[in-house]
Amino acid sequence: MKSRIDAILQKSQAEYLDSILPPRDPLLQKMERYAEEHGHPIADPEVAQLMRLLVRVSSPTRVLEIGTNIGYSVIVMGRECGPDARIETIEIDPGTLDSARSFVREAELSAQVVFHEGAALEVIPRLSGPFDFVFIDCVKTEYGDYLDLVLPLLTPGALIFCDNLLWKGQIADGPRSERDVASTAALAAFNQRMTTDPRLLTTILPVGDGVGISVFG
Ligand SMILES: C[S@@+](CC[C@H](N)C(=O)[O-])C[C@H]1O[C@@H](n2cnc3c(N)ncnc32)[C@H](O)[C@@H]1O
């Protein structure tokens, strides 16, 4: 146990780090406003920045995102990918997917983007892969099932990036409402699995709502 375990997990530190985040381009700013106005749960800017960095250093060519929402993270990842890259992304809600298609069109990415409409647990078994970068950001009780389905589709060295692994503090402190009991238990089990599975090298960082970065193989 560190003697100053709370040394960086303080409000003032988080606010300072927020204050030095690079400004987003006008399209991403517009999407952040749209998400705020319409209650869409897009990635936090600091999570997006980490994702940007991971995509840039790993140069993936086959990306899978589970949970598209309005396409914010597709654009964040897509801006770091070249024309040889393909991003496949899954969203269950047709209206939300229409918004994502429209924003992604506006982004004029050079990478190819393939939108899959449907429940992730039904769509993933139909995908052939292989994938070298996976972003898991969907139904919290299903994270373990996504992992089961995705592992056979990964290339050696593939990165798995997961959002919401600290679940607003509830993994450490317990669920705050009846509604969060199942998701909290599922994410706690998922974290345990990610950090102990011998096929994965994982770190979980207190960025945003908690992110996991794993290397496969
Ligand atoms: C947290 S949001 C994704 C945010 C996005 N990755 C970003 O950062 O911009 C999760 C999305 O998953 C979608 N979703 C919920 N259940 C789903 C399911 N079973 N299969 C696929 N998508 C689902 C929701 O409609 C929502 O848009």
Side-chain angles (χ1 to χ4, degrees):
M1 171 85 68
K2 290 191 200 71
S3 59
R4 287 292 316 279
I5 196 81
D6 64 344
I8 62 165
L9 299 178
Q10 296 173 8
K11 193 160 180 285
S12 60
Q13 308 280 27
E15 284 168 354
Y16 164 69
L17 291 173
D18 269 356
S19 77
I20 56 167
L21 271 177
R24 268 76 69 198
D25 65 54
L27 175 58
L28 290 179
Q29 285 179 30
K30 180 167 91 171
M31 293 177 78
E32 288 171 14
R33 283 195 302 274
Y34 179 90
E36 176 86 38
E37 282 163 18
H38 296 85
H40 283 294
I42 61 169
D44 291 327
E46 64 271 34
V47 171
Q49 181 70 356
L50 179 57
M51 187 161 40
R52 205 170 267 126
L53 185 150
L54 289 172
V55 173
R56 187 173 298 186
V57 296
S58 61
S59 304
T61 55
R62 291 293 306 268
V63 176
L64 172 64
E65 176 183 53
I66 307 172
T68 315
N69 196 251
I70 60 168
Y72 183 81
S73 41
V74 169
I75 295 172
V76 167
M77 295 187 284
R79 291 231 196 281
E80 299 299 329
C81 289
D84 56 337
R86 176 178 151 112
I87 301 173
E88 297 190 50
T89 184
I90 308 170
E91 170 59 50
I92 199 166
D93 182 69
T96 305
L97 198 56
D98 280 348
S99 304
R101 282 197 176 94
S102 160
F103 281 125
V104 169
R105 200 175 306 119
E106 198 175 333
E108 297 184 333
L109 301 173
S110 58
Q112 184 194 1
V113 179
V114 179
F115 296 96
H116 297 281
E117 183 183 316
L121 293 181
E122 288 168 21
V123 173
I124 303 168
R126 299 202 296 264
L127 305 180
S128 51
F131 296 104
D132 49 7
F133 192 101
V134 177
F135 178 31
I136 299 180
D137 190 19
C138 201
V139 181
K140 307 314 161 193
T141 50
E142 296 181 355
Y143 273 31
D145 301 312
Y146 303 149
L147 187 65
D148 288 334
L149 292 171
V150 150
L151 280 173
L153 303 177
L154 297 180
T155 56
L159 286 184
I160 308 172
F161 188 59
C162 303
D163 200 6
N164 307 111
L165 297 190
L166 295 178
W167 207 216
K168 305 176 190 89
Q170 297 179 105
I171 307 301
D173 297 336
R176 280 196 284 277
S177 72
E178 195 55 39
R179 206 175 56 120
D180 287 314
V181 170
S183 53
T184 303
L187 286 174
F190 182 76
N191 289 348
Q192 179 69 20
R193 184 173 167 195
M194 294 300 273
T195 51
T196 54
D197 188 315
R199 294 166 295 180
L200 299 172
L201 175 65
T202 295
T203 183
I204 298 177
L205 302 174
V207 173
D209 191 24
V211 297
I213 304 168
S214 307
V215 184
F216 171 70

